[in-house]
Amino acid sequence: DMPGGAAASISAHQIAIQLWMLCSFTSDALAAASQGLVADGIGRNNMVEVHDVSKTVLIYSAVLGSLLSCLLFLGFSTGFLLEFFTSDGGTQAALLEISALLVLSQPLNSLVFAADGVLQGAAEFPYQAKSMALSAFVAATCFLVLQASDVSNELFDVWSALICLQFMRGVTSAYKIVDDQGPIALMKDPSTQNVQY
């Protein structure tokens, strides 16, 4: 049989993943919209529209991520989410250990998904594949470093590495979106831009 602590951690992880995925799918709606609108703007060589769509989607995603954070915080602080998913005290305690990570990561997640949509609309698939490989390497390194520490907590370490992955994805996506040589070049005057193929 599995030790009680390990069983509680695995159960808490499964609950956290379900909450994470629910928030992710909610945020992904903005990414899907931005993908089509950015592709349309680029196809018509309308960089003003591409910039407007990109900025609007990123602002909306930051607001949505903050709202999701508030809802998760409310759910955890009142105990509603704990009682809704399980009555097991060990699982509830394990879930509370990572609740702050879940709450605080939602604005980041939402922005990352929105940036994904913008870059996919600009057909930056090779760049995204490379940035994901780099992000995964950094996240794996983060996990191994945390595991090697004297105060290692496997559940917390897994979720810290997951957030590290999202942070790196955010950094690499932001770099490409604002890059003057990139297809979006968000910081440049769009009226002076031509679509780069």
Side-chain angles (χ1 to χ4, degrees):
D1 285 342
M2 190 179 299
S9 291
I10 291 171
S11 299
H13 176 72
Q14 288 302 317
I15 294 169
I17 279 289
Q18 296 307 312
L19 290 169
W20 176 281
M21 294 302 292
L22 176 63
C23 293
S24 297
F25 287 137
T26 303
S27 299
D28 210 33
L30 284 172
S34 65
Q35 183 177 349
L37 293 170
V38 167
D40 179 64
I42 288 177
R44 291 186 290 105
N45 199 19
N46 186 342
M47 292 310 294
V48 172
E49 181 178 314
V50 170
H51 276 221
D52 287 345
V53 166
S54 300
K55 289 176 183 175
T56 300
V57 167
L58 290 170
I59 291 168
Y60 283 1
S61 67
V63 172
L64 176 60
S66 299
L67 176 62
L68 291 171
S69 280
C70 291
L71 290 173
L72 286 177
F73 175 78
L74 189 62
F76 282 120
S77 63
T78 61
F80 171 77
L81 287 175
L82 300 174
E83 296 292 338
F84 182 79
F85 284 103
T86 181
S87 59
D88 179 70
T91 301
Q92 290 180 349
L95 186 57
L96 274 176
E97 289 178 7
I98 58 171
S99 61
L101 295 176
L102 275 169
V103 169
L104 296 175
S105 65
Q106 292 313 308
L108 171 64
N109 289 342
S110 193
L111 284 166
V112 167
F113 290 128
D116 278 348
V118 170
L119 290 175
Q120 287 164 13
E124 284 293 328
F125 302 109
Y127 177 81
Q128 285 190 294
K130 293 172 189 172
S131 67
M132 184 56 139
L134 173 63
S135 300
F137 174 77
V138 173
T141 302
C142 171
F143 176 74
L144 293 174
V145 168
L146 289 171
Q147 283 285 284
S149 70
D150 294 334
V151 291
S152 175
N153 174 321
E154 287 185 359
L155 182 62
F156 188 86
D157 295 351
V158 165
W159 279 88
S160 296
L162 181 58
I163 290 169
C164 180
L165 173 74
Q166 290 295 85
F167 176 77
M168 285 301 301
R169 289 182 63 212
V171 168
T172 54
S173 295
Y175 169 78
K176 192 64 173 179
I177 287 173
V178 301
D179 180 15
D180 283 351
Q181 304 304 314
I184 306 296
L186 199 59
M187 306 308 286
K188 287 179 71 174
D189 181 357
S191 62
T192 65
Q193 287 179 259
N194 289 315
V195 174
Q196 300 177 23
Y197 293 100

